[in-house]
mmCIF file of all heavy atoms in Angstrom:
data_model
loop_
_atom_site.group_PDB
_atom_site.id
_atom_site.type_symbol
_atom_site.label_atom_id
_atom_site.label_comp_id
_atom_site.label_asym_id
_atom_site.label_seq_id
_atom_site.Cartn_x
_atom_site.Cartn_y
_atom_site.Cartn_z
ATOM 1 N N PHE M 135 170.556 67.191 -88.833
ATOM 2 C CA PHE M 135 169.686 68.039 -87.926
ATOM 3 C C PHE M 135 169.781 67.416 -86.477
ATOM 4 O O PHE M 135 169.007 66.526 -86.118
ATOM 5 C CB PHE M 135 168.245 67.964 -88.407
ATOM 6 C CG PHE M 135 168.078 68.350 -89.838
ATOM 7 C CD1 PHE M 135 167.761 67.446 -90.789
ATOM 8 C CD2 PHE M 135 168.151 69.701 -90.216
ATOM 9 C CE1 PHE M 135 167.713 67.803 -92.151
ATOM 10 C CE2 PHE M 135 168.056 70.096 -91.521
ATOM 11 C CZ PHE M 135 167.868 69.186 -92.505
ATOM 12 N N PRO M 136 170.712 67.876 -85.755
ATOM 13 C CA PRO M 136 171.011 67.281 -84.354
ATOM 14 C C PRO M 136 169.706 67.339 -83.456
ATOM 15 O O PRO M 136 169.634 66.544 -82.569
ATOM 16 C CB PRO M 136 172.050 68.156 -83.831
ATOM 17 C CG PRO M 136 172.529 69.035 -84.904
ATOM 18 C CD PRO M 136 171.652 68.989 -86.019
ATOM 19 N N ALA M 137 168.786 68.257 -83.735
ATOM 20 C CA ALA M 137 167.636 68.375 -82.823
ATOM 21 C C ALA M 137 166.512 67.329 -83.153
ATOM 22 O O ALA M 137 165.542 67.230 -82.255
ATOM 23 C CB ALA M 137 167.004 69.809 -82.938
ATOM 24 N N VAL M 138 166.655 66.534 -84.129
ATOM 25 C CA VAL M 138 165.608 65.546 -84.517
ATOM 26 C C VAL M 138 165.427 64.583 -83.386
ATOM 27 O O VAL M 138 166.350 64.065 -82.819
ATOM 28 C CB VAL M 138 165.937 64.784 -85.828
ATOM 29 C CG1 VAL M 138 164.969 63.686 -86.072
ATOM 30 C CG2 VAL M 138 165.981 65.751 -86.983
ATOM 31 N N GLN M 139 164.130 64.262 -83.147
ATOM 32 C CA GLN M 139 163.809 63.190 -82.181
ATOM 33 C C GLN M 139 163.142 62.018 -82.965
ATOM 34 O O GLN M 139 162.277 62.327 -83.810
ATOM 35 C CB GLN M 139 162.880 63.649 -81.087
ATOM 36 C CG GLN M 139 163.709 64.518 -80.077
ATOM 37 C CD GLN M 139 162.805 65.242 -79.049
ATOM 38 O OE1 GLN M 139 162.054 66.091 -79.387
ATOM 39 N NE2 GLN M 139 162.871 64.686 -77.909
ATOM 40 N N VAL M 140 163.482 60.797 -82.748
ATOM 41 C CA VAL M 140 163.006 59.670 -83.558
ATOM 42 C C VAL M 140 162.043 58.897 -82.578
ATOM 43 O O VAL M 140 162.405 58.567 -81.448
ATOM 44 C CB VAL M 140 164.051 58.702 -84.034
ATOM 45 C CG1 VAL M 140 163.569 57.538 -84.774
ATOM 46 C CG2 VAL M 140 165.103 59.539 -84.858
ATOM 47 N N VAL M 141 160.872 58.567 -83.083
ATOM 48 C CA VAL M 141 159.887 57.804 -82.297
ATOM 49 C C VAL M 141 159.309 56.771 -83.103
ATOM 50 O O VAL M 141 159.151 56.881 -84.358
ATOM 51 C CB VAL M 141 158.733 58.695 -81.770
ATOM 52 C CG1 VAL M 141 159.220 59.697 -80.714
ATOM 53 C CG2 VAL M 141 158.012 59.463 -82.859
ATOM 54 N N GLN M 142 159.009 55.666 -82.492
ATOM 55 C CA GLN M 142 158.326 54.569 -83.323
ATOM 56 C C GLN M 142 157.121 53.854 -82.638
ATOM 57 O O GLN M 142 156.584 52.981 -83.188
ATOM 58 C CB GLN M 142 159.354 53.451 -83.759
ATOM 59 C CG GLN M 142 160.007 52.701 -82.729
ATOM 60 C CD GLN M 142 160.820 51.544 -83.310
ATOM 61 O OE1 GLN M 142 160.689 51.281 -84.520
ATOM 62 N NE2 GLN M 142 161.698 51.010 -82.520
ATOM 63 N N ASP M 143 156.805 54.357 -81.422
ATOM 64 C CA ASP M 143 155.585 53.835 -80.774
ATOM 65 C C ASP M 143 154.944 54.847 -79.896
ATOM 66 O O ASP M 143 155.529 55.901 -79.674
ATOM 67 C CB ASP M 143 155.814 52.526 -80.087
ATOM 68 C CG ASP M 143 156.929 52.574 -79.071
ATOM 69 O OD1 ASP M 143 156.961 53.650 -78.358
ATOM 70 O OD2 ASP M 143 157.640 51.717 -78.817
ATOM 71 N N GLU M 144 153.785 54.506 -79.350
ATOM 72 C CA GLU M 144 153.050 55.502 -78.561
ATOM 73 C C GLU M 144 153.803 55.888 -77.283
ATOM 74 O O GLU M 144 153.809 57.066 -76.892
ATOM 75 C CB GLU M 144 151.696 54.847 -78.130
ATOM 76 C CG GLU M 144 150.747 54.750 -79.354
ATOM 77 C CD GLU M 144 149.357 54.379 -78.845
ATOM 78 O OE1 GLU M 144 149.160 53.951 -77.727
ATOM 79 O OE2 GLU M 144 148.377 54.447 -79.763
ATOM 80 N N GLY M 145 154.495 54.894 -76.712
ATOM 81 C CA GLY M 145 155.294 55.232 -75.494
ATOM 82 C C GLY M 145 156.360 56.303 -75.773
ATOM 83 O O GLY M 145 156.527 57.162 -74.950
ATOM 84 N N GLU M 146 156.996 56.220 -76.940
ATOM 85 C CA GLU M 146 158.040 57.126 -77.278
ATOM 86 C C GLU M 146 157.391 58.497 -77.678
ATOM 87 O O GLU M 146 157.953 59.610 -77.300
ATOM 88 C CB GLU M 146 158.894 56.651 -78.442
ATOM 89 C CG GLU M 146 159.719 55.519 -77.991
ATOM 90 C CD GLU M 146 160.668 54.837 -79.009
ATOM 91 O OE1 GLU M 146 160.573 55.341 -80.258
ATOM 92 O OE2 GLU M 146 161.402 53.951 -78.730
ATOM 93 N N VAL M 147 156.242 58.548 -78.197
ATOM 94 C CA VAL M 147 155.495 59.811 -78.441
ATOM 95 C C VAL M 147 155.148 60.497 -77.180
ATOM 96 O O VAL M 147 155.348 61.691 -76.999
ATOM 97 C CB VAL M 147 154.234 59.526 -79.370
ATOM 98 C CG1 VAL M 147 153.357 60.786 -79.375
ATOM 99 C CG2 VAL M 147 154.595 59.040 -80.799
ATOM 100 N N ASP M 148 154.686 59.669 -76.176
ATOM 101 C CA ASP M 148 154.311 60.228 -74.934
ATOM 102 C C ASP M 148 155.439 60.873 -74.137
ATOM 103 O O ASP M 148 155.246 61.707 -73.336
ATOM 104 C CB ASP M 148 153.630 59.160 -73.967
ATOM 105 C CG ASP M 148 152.294 58.748 -74.635
ATOM 106 O OD1 ASP M 148 151.815 59.392 -75.612
ATOM 107 O OD2 ASP M 148 151.742 57.686 -74.120
ATOM 108 N N GLN M 149 156.677 60.517 -74.486
ATOM 109 C CA GLN M 149 157.901 60.966 -73.819
ATOM 110 C C GLN M 149 158.299 62.358 -74.397
ATOM 111 O O GLN M 149 159.134 63.041 -73.823
ATOM 112 C CB GLN M 149 159.118 60.065 -73.952
ATOM 113 C CG GLN M 149 158.903 58.666 -73.558
ATOM 114 C CD GLN M 149 159.104 58.516 -72.090
ATOM 115 O OE1 GLN M 149 160.053 59.054 -71.491
ATOM 116 N NE2 GLN M 149 158.144 57.844 -71.470
ATOM 117 N N LEU M 150 157.685 62.787 -75.484
ATOM 118 C CA LEU M 150 158.137 64.008 -76.105
ATOM 119 C C LEU M 150 157.731 65.184 -75.371
ATOM 120 O O LEU M 150 156.564 65.296 -74.947
ATOM 121 C CB LEU M 150 157.592 64.121 -77.529
ATOM 122 C CG LEU M 150 158.132 63.116 -78.553
ATOM 123 C CD1 LEU M 150 157.378 63.191 -79.856
ATOM 124 C CD2 LEU M 150 159.620 63.269 -78.878
#
Side-chain angles (χ1 to χ4, degrees):
F135 307 106
V138 172
Q139 289 174 285
V140 181
V141 291
Q142 67 172 344
D143 56 35
E144 289 190 348
E146 290 178 359
V147 169
D148 291 350
Q149 302 282 314
L150 294 172

